[in-house]
Amino acid sequence: MIKAMMKRTQEVLVVLVLALFYKAASMKPCSKPPQQLDGGDSCLSWRLAVEANNVRAWRTVPIQCLLYLETYMIGGQYERDVEFIVGEILSYVNGGIVLSEDGKDAWILDVDDTCLSNVLYYKGKRYGCDPYDPSGFRAWAMTGECPAIPAILGLFSKLVNSGFKVFLVTGRDEERLGQVTIENLHNQGFVDYERLILRTAAYKGQSAVAYKSAIRQQLVEEGYRIWGNVGDQWSDLQGDYLGNRTFKLPNPMYFVP
Amino acid sequence: MIKAMMKRTQEVLVVLVLALFYKAASMKPCSKPPQQLDGGDSCLSWRLAVEANNVRAWRTVPIQCLLYLETYMIGGQYERDVEFIVGEILSYVNGGIVLSEDGKDAWILDVDDTCLSNVLYYKGKRYGCDPYDPSGFRAWAMTGECPAIPAILGLFSKLVNSGFKVFLVTGRDEERLGQVTIENLHNQGFVDYERLILRTAAYKGQSAVAYKSAIRQQLVEEGYRIWGNVGDQWSDLQGDYLGNRTFKLPNPMYFVP
């Protein structure tokens, strides 16, 4: 109980320091949220609604939730949420999947904010309160220094070592970001995946749901059994050939249609 | 900020009082959770994972989350979460749906823990930490005194007044619970719905996904356009003929397959 009270006090202090910082900084106006939000508890409602796919096609994080979201993303709860889901995935993997000897047991992982974290980049975009900036994001991706999300790297290694074929499927543009994405994955420890599939010219302009469904269909037609499919966007987990189980990782910073 | 600190202190006190109460009461052992949970923050991870459909086919709430869940369900956050989702639904309804004159514009609402609340009953079942008790639940339903969830009653009235045909679709058994459910809905203000559809003998033993998909198919074949579909269970919102938008209300107390 004392520990919990200390923790609460610590949280309040973190929020206080952040509040002073943001008060001092000049704040640009942000997009008007569809609903009035008044801080912590209502931002938790917003985040829950985002993760349950009740809020769709949102362009920016409501400005009132900036401090809440910063605390969520870098204060430990985001990591705890990811680790909990990885625990669920491992329960499922260890709960009776029998791998065949044909080498066709597959998993699909998304890349951005699934394998590799963009939180450092989004910190500079006020955790999604600023609108999407395609060239800014491309410059970040071009550095090849997106860090691994530790729990997902652990999951990845476990899947590969268990004999699953892991396919990394990303909406990143193959021509411009293919080489740097390979290097980034490798320098973060994502090696021995079966295939990295990036968006080629043929899929340019398609929605993530259509593009990723088409890729999964090809894998199924090649004979792969998709046991699981992990992504931070609902558009990774909707459409066709979804796989036996899907797992939604948290991402309250941006929405990919 | 002072207000936030007062609120935190108040929350800590509520938890303290509840902890003393439960310490004093004799606690029955509950089902072992699949993952180790150690209170507040990890219970929030669990709840998020339930609402995002990452945890499935769970039988009971992890015992470590009992205090957390009681605070969530009756401390205000559950209500805030429901109200936020109703706000999203109304944004969608008011955001450009044009009703036709053929009277075939429809919405589907689930009944238990969508229109009518069972929180009072589940309080006696340790908010879902005790396993499902079919005869206990039937006795509760037979009282006909399940209270309306206020935000959903408001939504219901708005939909009916806007000209939508509202279908209430429930897994409750028609033979045993039909009459009392009609009375309960009426005494709580749910009047002027188009049809209340309960589970008949033909659907006995079917999963909720199969049963509700079949019902929705019939409605679509009658010519209805399902604009929205609201339920507290993922099994309300999966399968076929889902409707143009689905909305998942929170329910961390039980899971219906």
Side-chain angles (χ1 to χ4, degrees):
Chain A
M1 197 42 60
I2 298 294
K3 203 176 145 201
M5 289 185 76
M6 291 282 285
K7 189 128 183 297
R8 287 287 184 217
T9 310
Q10 199 184 8
E11 281 175 16
V12 168
L13 285 174
V14 166
V15 169
L16 191 63
V17 169
L18 291 174
L20 289 171
F21 172 77
Y22 280 102
K23 190 96 185 172
S26 69
M27 301 272 278
K28 284 170 293 190
C30 200
S31 73
K32 194 179 164 291
Q35 292 194 61
Q36 283 305 315
L37 296 169
D38 57 7
D41 294 335
S42 64
C43 293
L44 175 55
S45 292
W46 175 79
R47 178 166 73 84
L48 184 79
V50 163
E51 296 303 339
N53 203 22
N54 288 323
V55 186
R56 299 185 190 176
W58 50 280
R59 293 171 60 103
T60 53
V61 171
I63 184 68
Q64 300 95 321
C65 297
L66 172 55
L67 295 182
Y68 171 86
L69 214 64
E70 173 148 45
T71 305
Y72 172 69
M73 291 306 300
I74 65 177
Q77 190 61 32
Y78 166 72
E79 257 178 297
R80 268 189 292 276
D81 288 351
V82 172
E83 283 164 10
F84 184 85
I85 296 164
V86 169
E88 286 302 304
I89 297 174
L90 293 176
S91 297
Y92 164 62
V93 169
N94 299 325
I97 297 178
V98 179
L99 275 75
S100 162
E101 287 182 8
D102 64 3
K104 295 289 193 184
D105 294 294
W107 273 76
I108 293 177
L109 306 186
D110 170 55
V111 173
D112 282 298
D113 292 300
T114 299
C115 294
L116 300 177
S117 172
N118 296 315
V119 175
L120 284 175
Y121 168 76
Y122 274 95
K123 186 178 175 177
K125 295 293 179 183
R126 299 194 298 171
Y127 296 96
C129 198
D130 292 340
Y132 179 56
D133 169 6
S135 66
F137 181 77
R138 207 179 306 119
W140 157 255
M142 285 301 291
T143 66
E145 289 176 4
C146 313
I149 295 180
I152 302 294
L153 180 58
L155 168 69
F156 171 85
S157 303
K158 211 144 198 167
L159 290 173
V160 170
N161 293 337
S162 302
F164 289 101
K165 301 293 164 65
V166 178
F167 293 86
L168 305 181
V169 181
T170 173
R172 285 186 178 198
D173 178 59
E174 181 164 55
E175 199 186 342
R176 284 195 282 191
L177 293 176
Q179 194 51 44
V180 75
T181 302
I182 291 171
E183 289 164 14
N184 198 157
L185 287 164
H186 283 229
N187 71 35
Q188 292 300 309
F190 290 93
V191 288
D192 295 332
Y193 49 78
E194 186 66 10
R195 217 179 292 167
L196 167 65
I197 301 171
L198 298 109
R199 190 192 287 261
T200 55
Y203 296 106
K204 209 167 175 173
Q206 282 196 13
S207 72
V209 170
Y211 157 62
K212 293 199 169 183
S213 291
I215 298 299
R216 289 190 300 264
Q217 178 171 3
Q218 289 165 28
L219 295 177
V220 168
E221 286 170 356
E222 289 179 41
Y224 288 103
R225 293 174 292 279
I226 303 172
W227 284 100
N229 179 2
V230 184
D232 65 298
Q233 298 290 324
W234 278 102
S235 54
D236 296 327
L237 311 174
Q238 293 184 317
D240 304 319
Y241 305 94
L242 292 175
N244 191 48
R245 279 283 300 262
T246 60
F247 294 92
K248 168 71 175 75
L249 298 179
N251 188 347
M253 300 185 299
Y254 59 89
F255 178 93
V256 178
Chain B
M1 194 42 61
I2 297 295
K3 204 176 145 200
M5 288 185 77
M6 292 281 286
K7 189 128 183 296
R8 286 288 183 214
T9 310
Q10 199 183 9
E11 281 174 15
V12 169
L13 285 174
V14 166
V15 169
L16 191 64
V17 169
L18 291 173
L20 289 171
F21 172 78
Y22 280 102
K23 189 99 184 172
S26 69
M27 300 273 277
K28 283 170 294 187
C30 199
S31 73
K32 194 180 163 293
Q35 292 194 61
Q36 284 304 315
L37 296 169
D38 56 8
D41 293 335
S42 64
C43 293
L44 175 55
S45 292
W46 175 80
R47 178 165 73 83
L48 183 78
V50 163
E51 296 302 340
N53 203 22
N54 288 323
V55 186
R56 300 185 190 177
W58 50 280
R59 294 171 60 102
T60 53
V61 171
I63 184 69
Q64 300 96 318
C65 297
L66 172 55
L67 297 182
Y68 171 85
L69 215 64
E70 173 148 46
T71 305
Y72 173 68
M73 291 306 300
I74 65 177
Q77 191 62 32
Y78 166 72
E79 256 178 298
R80 268 189 292 276
D81 287 351
V82 172
E83 283 164 9
F84 184 85
I85 297 164
V86 168
E88 286 302 304
I89 298 174
L90 293 177
S91 297
Y92 164 61
V93 169
N94 298 326
I97 298 178
V98 179
L99 275 75
S100 160
E101 286 183 8
D102 64 2
K104 295 289 192 184
D105 294 294
W107 273 75
I108 293 178
L109 306 186
D110 170 54
V111 173
D112 283 297
D113 292 300
T114 298
C115 293
L116 300 177
S117 173
N118 295 315
V119 175
L120 285 174
Y121 168 76
Y122 274 95
K123 186 179 176 179
K125 296 293 178 184
R126 299 194 298 170
Y127 296 96
C129 198
D130 292 340
Y132 179 56
D133 169 6
S135 66
F137 181 76
R138 208 179 305 119
W140 157 256
M142 285 300 292
T143 65
E145 290 176 4
C146 313
I149 296 180
I152 302 293
L153 180 58
L155 169 68
F156 171 86
S157 303
K158 210 144 200 165
L159 291 174
V160 170
N161 293 337
S162 302
F164 289 102
K165 300 294 164 64
V166 178
F167 294 86
L168 306 181
V169 182
T170 172
R172 285 187 178 199
D173 178 60
E174 181 163 55
E175 198 187 343
R176 285 194 282 191
L177 294 175
Q179 194 50 44
V180 75
T181 302
I182 292 171
E183 288 164 15
N184 198 159
L185 286 165
H186 282 229
N187 70 35
Q188 292 300 308
F190 290 94
V191 288
D192 295 330
Y193 49 80
E194 186 67 10
R195 218 178 289 168
L196 167 66
I197 302 172
L198 299 110
R199 190 193 287 260
T200 57
Y203 296 105
K204 209 167 174 172
Q206 283 196 12
S207 72
V209 171
Y211 157 62
K212 294 199 168 182
S213 290
I215 298 299
R216 289 190 300 263
Q217 178 171 3
Q218 288 166 28
L219 295 178
V220 168
E221 286 171 356
E222 288 178 41
Y224 288 102
R225 294 174 292 279
I226 303 173
W227 284 101
N229 179 4
V230 185
D232 65 298
Q233 298 290 324
W234 278 101
S235 54
D236 296 328
L237 312 174
Q238 292 184 318
D240 303 318
Y241 305 94
L242 292 174
N244 191 48
R245 278 284 299 263
T246 61
F247 294 92
K248 169 70 175 75
L249 298 179
N251 187 349
M253 300 186 300
Y254 60 88
F255 178 92
V256 177

